[in-house]
Amino acid sequence: MCGIVGYLGKNDCVENIKEGLLSVEYRGYDSAGISYIHDGAIQIQKRVGSVANLFDSITCPTDTHCGIGHTRWATHGEVCEKNAHPHISFDNRFSLVHNGIIENYAVIKDGILKDIPFRTNVDTESIVNLVAYFRIVNPKLSVLEALCETLKNLQGSYAVAMLALDTPDTIYFARKESPLLIGKGDGETFISSDVLGLGKSCSEYVVVPNGVYGYINKDEVKAFEESGSDVCLEFKSMISHSERAQKGDNAHFMQKEINEIPTVIENTVKIYLNEDNPISKVDKSFWQDIEKIEFIACGTSYHASMVGAMFTEDNAHKVARTHLASEFVYNPPLLNKNTLCVFVSQSGETADTLHAVRVAKERGAKSLGITNVMTSNLASECDVCLPICAGVEVAVASTKAYNAQVTVMMILADFLRDGDYKDIAEKILSQAASIDLDGMWASAKKFVKRVANSSSIYFVGRHMDYITCLESCLKLKEISYIPCEAYAAGELKHGTIALVEDGTTMLAIVTEPKLISKTLNIVEQAKARGAKLIYFTSLNLKDFAVSEKDVMAAPKVDVELSPLFSIIPMQMLSYMVSVYKGYNPDRPRNLAKSVTVE
Ligand code: G6P
């Protein structure tokens, strides 16, 4: 949800900003832009569409050493070149990129800035115009002081990087809630929304603390609290530079990421089987006296958490429930020091999930993050954080991260039972090794046309299969735009069956032997009313009138591990349906990979 980058150093800033933007482009595909100071003026170049499109269609000087860039996921104002970032102040002396939402921008625009001309209806413009306004009203203010004054007037969330014509070799920054990192290399400083956007030459980095602003120039990085007091930024060594993910032989990142799933599961388990594993590094007292566990997440991570909660209750014999982060904050359950709140997030930056962390902590609960990004806000705000080790996930629709999250939560559930998760870890390892990806692609492919040509789809299943239905349904709607719903099979007869008519496509997920007849009896009722069924199963359905041509093969795995592996062919099906319909599965319309606004 908007990525920002900045570069100040001895090399060409445009090339560095381009590299940074390509790495954080997953945060928004609506438009991209760059700003630097050249020929005594602030220069801005921006285009609707991708970062590649921007740099293909502009020419920039190669002798600039300080600049900022942005990739946008629109929140305020339609997608068009004018609304793309960077935004320039009304007096053309400041340019600024922003990730977040300024909630009171209309109040600022119609109030303190009522006589100032605005060029767009983007909330960000109120920030850059405020800085310019404060400098004009009080010319004694330094740029930094004008920025500080501006921040006092803002409500909402922001990570910003700004250039000022008066101080050409300086990048100003500020952060409240939205993520921002600074990286340093030899004679170079980078700023970015994500560690991925920091240049390869960075040897150290720091996550800018919440509520802090400051500046970067060639001599120093200075940071301050709102009160004006200095903040000491503690830079850490860069552990390793993730290469910018490449698609390799795959047509899309989503295809690549699905193909990586067995390896990701394997790598994750191996890390947790190491002597020096992430759980062993947690102080033992953290795990003591836990009476109940609340899992909190959004989107795909929420579905993974549902598996986690089910596993935890079954195996650790503790009360475990799942909450949507956006609901949890308004209606939290009773929490106390004996409650473990588990926050699950691929990006570690989802605003709703971070808000929920703060609510849980205020109420005295223990907080445990499970994330793919250990430099994220989630990792720094939770008492303890466990990595999922999925590697960089680029496609907006999450796939391999789901499997890695489920893996970690299965391990955690057994750990919470008696501290020993070796058996489940080894069981997962052996099943992952037997996954036949080619067979799965082939089986899913047979159903692509049927699904793609359906005007709507209902997914039905029970118990663990119901969770797989929810995640399969989310995947399909995210990238194929086919209206679909997932139902617990038993609920069908309580309303939804009214929607079934001749030709309605229904996809029944049946991976638990004990539930075959219960699920299929319900499905029969829909079939009798005209529904056309696809059965996703590896079980023998011979006692039911099921034709072979309607069976999509589910992986044959230990039933306990079904949610971890059954989702894979469904991810493949969604991917192929999207491609068949001519869409780009990596960049679904209206969606962002990292949702940093509530
Ligand atoms: C967005 C993404 C989803 C993701 C959800 C939660 O909506 O498009 O794919 O599942 O955010 O993201 P998180 O990073 O918290 O797992």
Side-chain angles (χ1 to χ4, degrees), residues 297-302 344-351 353 371 393 395-399 401 405 471 474-475 478 588 591-595:
C298 303
T300 289
S301 299
Y302 173 73
V344 183
S345 171
Q346 187 284 128
S347 62
E349 298 297 354
T350 301
T353 308
T371 185
E393 193 180 64
V396 168
S398 183
T399 53
Q405 288 168 338
E471 178 54 14
L474 177 64
K475 270 315 72 93
E478 275 179 311
L591 297 180
K593 179 119 196 99
S594 176
V595 181

Side-chain angles (χ1 to χ4, degrees), residues 283-291 337-338 366:
D283 194 301
K284 289 202 171 45
S285 63
F286 180 78
W287 306 111
Q288 277 159 14
D289 304 322
I290 293 171
E291 285 167 5
K337 64 180 174 30
N338 299 327
K366 297 181 181 193

